[in-house]
Amino acid sequence: MDIKEEIARLRSELNAHNIRYYIENSPSISDREFDEMMHRLEKLEQEYPQYDDPLSPTHRVGSDLGGGFAQAAHIYPMLSLANTYSIEDVDKWVDRVESALAGQESVMVGEMKFDGSGISLIYEHGRLVRAVTRGDGEKGDVVTDNIKTIRSIPLVLSGDDYPDFFEIRGEIVLPWKSFERLNAERAFNEEPLFANPRNAAAGTLKLLNPAEVSRRGLDAYFYYLLGENLPYDNHYDNMMAARRWGFKVSDAMTLLHNLKEVDAYINHWDSARRELPVATDGLVFKINSLRQQLNLGHTAKSPRWAIAYKFKAERAATPLRYVSFDVGRMGIITPVANLEPVLLSGTIVKRASLHNEDIMRSLDIHEGDTLYVEKGGEIIPKITGVDIEKRRADAPAVRFVTTCPACGTPLVRVEGEAAWVCPNRWGCPPQITGRVEHFVGRRMMNIDGIGEETSDVLFSTGLVKDIADIYDLTEQALMKLERFGPRSAERVMEGIESSKSVPFERVLYALSIPYVGETTARKIARTVKDIDTLMAMPAEELEAIEDVGPRIAESIIDYFASAENREIVERLRAAGVQLALSEENARATSDKLKDKAIVISGVFTHHSRDEYKSLIEANGGRNVSGISKKTDFVLAGENMGPSKLEKAQKLGIPIIDEDTFLGMLE
Ligand code: IVH
């Protein structure tokens, strides 16, 4: 076969497999076969650059290029939807529409209202040419490079009945699973959490680094086709055509013929939406006939042919006990509302973060207030307001602390950020113990036997005042502590010893350099290879590393500018901690298990559990402890625990043996 033809065939097959995988959820080939085809295509495109195509499936990974976003005007303005919270209002809208249409029969389409970020895509001759955010409705940001990383968006369309030129609108969403993973990572790195998937999706779309966009796992649902030559005269058939061309159109989209069906649709989805993989904040009803839509027209803000029915968020009211202020390992102060326990969507809520001073102030909380709590994004409880009627007349407003609640140092506010910080890095107990806890954590140095309580004891007895002190601990010193016996002291000493072989990338993460999270640390370690090079790097060179922007570069420079930190590094070096990437580590890395959550269970023959753990991490995956819906697969040896086995089978999680696993990494 001629090269050009082979390239074309690979592209179209990969596009078709993408649709089967990301849209239809029914892949027909293994991931491995898919990767092989992709590699073959990559290779051919490299060898024959004359046949390259910016819309080839190989270009979905995203590059680091790009500055700010250009703006583009929408061809048709992006309107919003009239909203209601009651079924009666929806019924009234149906009546209104029918009388405006002078008694003509009208069919409606019911669909989900996806809670993400609106997007407009333009296709010419079946190829994606531009993606623009909603912006102010008239014009938005051109985010084509970021959009291209979303695997469920077709870059080149299937079939042949699409118009030469059309626009399609939809919603960019961050599925719950990706949202939870992103926030867990951010919590771990003490970065501000996203309040809900909508903010996370909008924030992600505006990132200047498409590679990071790709990593976060966005998805997209489409609900509106616009253009001069649409294939059908009604919305529903057009959307079904769009589905054939490769767009993800929700299965919930359905034709409704009368009020009874509309009401039943609402009643069904009011609860069934909780099972969906993405956030929805309501339903949308649209008149199906495009001719009738045209007759009904629109107001300045929204079309008369559509209405949104919004779901009520689950909310509870509960008295505030007090506001506490937590001090994190980076010194950031987080206000927390401590509540009278209350049941909300199945779990008991007692504490809810108030995030920072600005958010706390905008809520205007007074002592003894009754607060409204919602499950923001249905998982993280969120304070959404105050029941003013229940406020005592003389209740004083709750104020943000001005000094550190742990050490009394006056707080400082970092320029350009909402956070107050305790600057007493070397003397503030929760910062020190927080750094020690982070350092010994499983994903960092993995020193067993030192948890929250032990690090408090080690600090209060003066044994550990910084992370390097850990390497001066002796079995005798530990044995003198109340909670230690010979066995537990020995276990800690063993953990300390084996931490000396933890690879450099994890050591770098363990240091608690502000803004340097797990992924960033890995990228830095793999790029610079050793700490001495890193310590000598000027900002420009740091910023050339993938994922490192000016803020992270400055933070790294600040960190190593401190004499205390440099001394810690020297003491870690003297103790034998890995401060350079070993040959083996520098080599055996890949993205083959990127974003995969993997449980290890059982006894193995080829490698130890720890070695498998390192292998998973070196290939971009995560080793997680418990099996849940979010687990991608179980790496199982002999004698996998029966309860784990049962759970994996119940949830339909694949169980992979050692040899298959090693084959995946080859
Ligand atoms: S139709 C002219 N359908 O909600 C009407 N919008 O409040 C165009 N949205 O900006 C929108 N799901 O970002 C439509 N099934 C759906 C939707 C939907 C979510 C968003 C969209 C729009 C906003 C309007």
Side-chain angles (χ1 to χ4, degrees):
M1 196 184 337
D2 123 309
I3 297 295
K4 197 172 161 188
E5 268 172 39
E6 181 177 3
I7 289 180
R9 184 187 55 86
L10 283 167
R11 283 181 189 153
S12 91
E13 284 184 17
L14 284 163
N15 284 336
H17 288 304
N18 258 332
I19 292 181
R20 269 177 226 135
Y21 189 93
Y22 290 104
I23 311 262
E24 295 164 359
N25 280 325
S26 63
S28 58
I29 57 172
S30 68
D31 289 2
R32 189 146 162 202
E33 287 168 299
F34 183 90
D35 291 344
E36 276 163 11
M37 281 169 73
M38 189 67 94
H39 287 148
R40 170 85 186 137
L41 178 58
E42 269 164 5
K43 192 166 153 262
L44 290 178
E45 286 175 351
Q46 257 163 26
E47 279 171 31
Y48 302 92
Q50 65 271 39
Y51 300 136
D52 195 19
D53 178 338
L55 297 186
S56 166
T58 54
H59 293 318
R60 292 218 188 236
V61 277
S63 74
D64 269 332
L65 296 177
F69 296 104
Q71 293 217 316
H74 293 298
I75 304 172
Y76 310 91
M78 278 177 96
L79 300 177
S80 51
L81 290 168
N83 272 337
T84 166
Y85 285 88
S86 82
I87 231 174
E88 291 75 32
D89 281 352
V90 177
D91 292 355
K92 277 190 212 145
W93 169 78
V94 176
D95 286 343
R96 254 196 334 271
V97 164
E98 291 193 335
S99 68
L101 293 173
Q104 288 172 38
E105 286 257 317
S106 62
V107 173
M108 286 159 283
V109 179
E111 45 194 82
M112 304 311 300
K113 186 169 192 307
F114 293 101
D115 199 11
S117 199
I119 195 79
S120 150
L121 306 182
I122 306 288
Y123 285 79
E124 268 180 57
H125 306 294
R127 295 164 58 85
L128 172 69
V129 291
R130 199 181 75 186
V132 185
T133 62
R134 180 171 189 279
D136 61 6
E138 297 291 331
K139 58 181 180 329
D141 287 329
V142 180
V143 290
T144 321
D145 286 338
N146 284 346
I147 288 298
K148 276 166 60 183
T149 70
I150 303 175
R151 303 299 204 274
S152 61
I153 293 183
L155 305 180
V156 179
L157 302 183
S158 309
D160 52 14
D161 60 335
Y162 44 78
D164 275 350
F165 183 96
F166 69 89
E167 173 174 353
I168 191 164
R169 290 192 189 161
E171 204 78 356
I172 305 299
V173 292
L174 192 68
W176 287 119
K177 215 175 145 171
S178 312
F179 171 70
E180 284 163 28
R181 191 192 58 216
L182 178 63
N183 259 355
E185 271 172 29
R186 293 173 74 89
F188 206 71
N189 295 327
E190 293 194 9
E191 288 164 346
L193 301 189
F194 286 113
N196 51 48
R198 178 182 2 102
N199 294 359
T204 303
L205 265 191
K206 296 288 184 65
L207 289 175
L208 291 174
N209 177 349
E212 172 63 12
V213 177
S214 169
R215 201 185 67 77
R216 289 196 184 174
L218 292 172
D219 201 350
Y221 287 85
F222 291 87
Y223 46 65
Y224 194 16
L225 194 64
L226 300 98
E228 301 287 317
N229 308 303
L230 302 185
Y232 299 97
D233 66 358
N234 70 83
H235 172 57
Y236 185 81
D237 287 337
N238 281 330
M239 294 318 298
M240 295 306 122
R243 184 184 276 163
R244 292 195 298 275
W245 304 335
F247 294 98
K248 193 175 235 180
V249 175
S250 164
D251 288 332
M253 188 176 282
T254 190
L255 290 172
L256 301 167
H257 302 88
N258 51 49
L259 273 186
K260 215 171 130 212
E261 287 181 12
V262 170
D263 293 358
Y265 191 77
I266 294 179
N267 286 326
H268 171 72
W269 285 111
D270 243 334
S271 57
R273 65 163 178 133
R274 291 184 223 289
E275 312 296 320
L276 295 173
V278 296
T280 53
D281 61 341
L283 302 171
V284 184
F285 297 99
K286 296 175 181 169
I287 297 299
N288 192 30
S289 152
L290 300 190
R291 190 177 42 79
Q292 290 182 344
Q293 286 188 3
L294 207 63
N295 281 337
L296 290 164
H298 51 78
T299 68
K301 279 199 298 202
S302 54
R304 290 199 191 84
W305 48 263
I307 191 166
Y309 164 84
K310 301 265 270 195
F311 299 127
K312 285 175 242 8
E314 278 191 71
R315 190 170 88 158
T318 189
L320 171 71
R321 292 175 56 216
Y322 57 93
V323 173
S324 59
F325 295 86
D326 287 357
V327 188
R329 75 188 149 99
M330 305 296 190
I332 294 174
I333 311 290
T334 307
V336 178
N338 292 262
L339 308 163
E340 286 302 334
V342 61
L343 189 68
L344 192 61
S345 351
T347 53
I348 291 177
V349 179
K350 323 190 248 242
R351 274 165 65 89
S353 172
L354 296 166
H355 305 287
N356 57 46
E357 188 189 19
D358 295 347
I359 292 178
M360 193 177 114
R361 184 173 310 161
S362 67
L363 286 164
D364 186 31
I365 298 176
H366 289 235
E367 281 174 24
D369 268 352
T370 294
L371 303 184
Y372 292 119
V373 205
E374 281 177 22
K375 281 284 184 75
E378 315 220 337
I379 22 169
I380 304 167
K382 184 180 170 189
I383 305 293
T384 53
V386 174
D387 183 350
I388 304 280
E389 306 213 328
K390 294 218 174 117
R391 177 175 293 164
R392 271 186 295 122
D394 59 345
V398 178
R399 286 173 190 274
F400 203 89
V401 283
T402 53
T403 55
C404 176
C407 72
T409 306
L411 301 179
V412 294
R413 195 161 176 163
V414 183
E415 205 183 317
E417 301 210 8
W420 284 96
V421 175
C422 168
N424 185 14
R425 225 184 125 71
W426 303 105
C428 178
Q431 292 189 52
I432 298 169
T433 54
R435 287 194 299 267
V436 170
E437 273 166 47
H438 174 77
F439 186 81
V440 300
R442 279 208 315 133
R443 286 149 74 142
M444 289 64 69
M445 306 306 280
N446 193 20
I447 302 177
D448 237 4
I450 304 184
E452 192 175 330
E453 277 173 51
T454 311
S455 49
D456 285 349
V457 174
L458 290 174
F459 174 73
S460 61
T461 51
L463 282 174
V464 173
K465 297 172 299 310
D466 61 50
I467 52 177
D469 286 341
I470 293 172
Y471 293 92
D472 295 337
L473 286 173
T474 59
E475 214 163 317
Q476 292 76 359
L478 286 173
M479 297 263 287
K480 287 201 192 110
L481 303 177
E482 205 172 286
R483 39 184 307 152
F484 277 95
R487 292 273 306 275
S488 47
E490 194 181 326
R491 191 165 70 138
V492 169
M493 293 314 292
E494 277 169 16
I496 292 174
E497 199 47 43
S498 61
S499 77
K500 294 176 187 169
S501 50
V502 163
F504 172 51
E505 54 189 52
R506 274 167 57 191
V507 177
L508 190 58
Y509 177 42
L511 293 178
S512 287
I513 304 174
Y515 306 118
V516 177
E518 191 171 13
T519 322
T520 312
R522 187 180 315 130
K523 295 213 165 124
I524 295 173
R526 290 180 194 178
T527 312
V528 305
K529 310 251 184 337
D530 65 75
I531 204 154
D532 296 304
T533 312
L534 181 64
M535 286 169 77
M537 268 180 152
E540 314 82 77
E541 281 177 34
L542 286 167
E543 285 174 39
I545 302 172
E546 195 185 344
D547 276 7
V548 177
R551 193 178 64 164
I552 298 180
E554 193 188 318
S555 171
I556 295 172
I557 291 174
D558 278 357
Y559 183 91
F560 291 116
S562 135
E564 286 94 339
N565 284 330
R566 283 201 309 271
E567 193 199 315
I568 286 176
V569 169
E570 289 321 312
R571 288 171 59 211
L572 293 176
R573 192 195 310 269
V577 170
Q578 301 292 315
L579 297 178
L581 221 53
S582 69
E583 281 277 312
E584 191 189 338
N585 265 305
R587 223 176 337 106
T589 57
S590 85
D591 276 344
K592 285 187 180 150
L593 302 175
K594 191 166 177 339
D595 298 339
K596 295 262 187 282
I598 301 163
V599 170
I600 305 180
S601 180
V603 185
F604 298 92
T605 33
H606 301 309
H607 295 278
S608 72
R609 256 168 184 267
D610 275 347
E611 282 166 347
Y612 276 120
K613 184 171 179 244
S614 309
L615 263 177
I616 289 173
E617 283 165 1
N619 289 284
R622 274 182 308 129
N623 173 216
V624 293
S625 50
I627 296 180
S628 73
K629 286 199 302 262
K630 292 181 217 145
T631 309
D632 288 288
F633 64 83
V634 180
L635 168 58
E638 294 292 315
N639 301 326
M640 172 175 173
S643 64
K644 275 201 173 144
L645 183 63
E646 196 189 316
K647 188 148 186 207
Q649 283 167 342
K650 206 168 116 207
L651 294 173
I653 309 236
I655 297 174
I656 286 174
D657 65 34
E658 238 178 314
D659 291 310
T660 315
F661 177 76
L662 292 171
M664 285 165 71
L665 299 182
E666 254 160 35

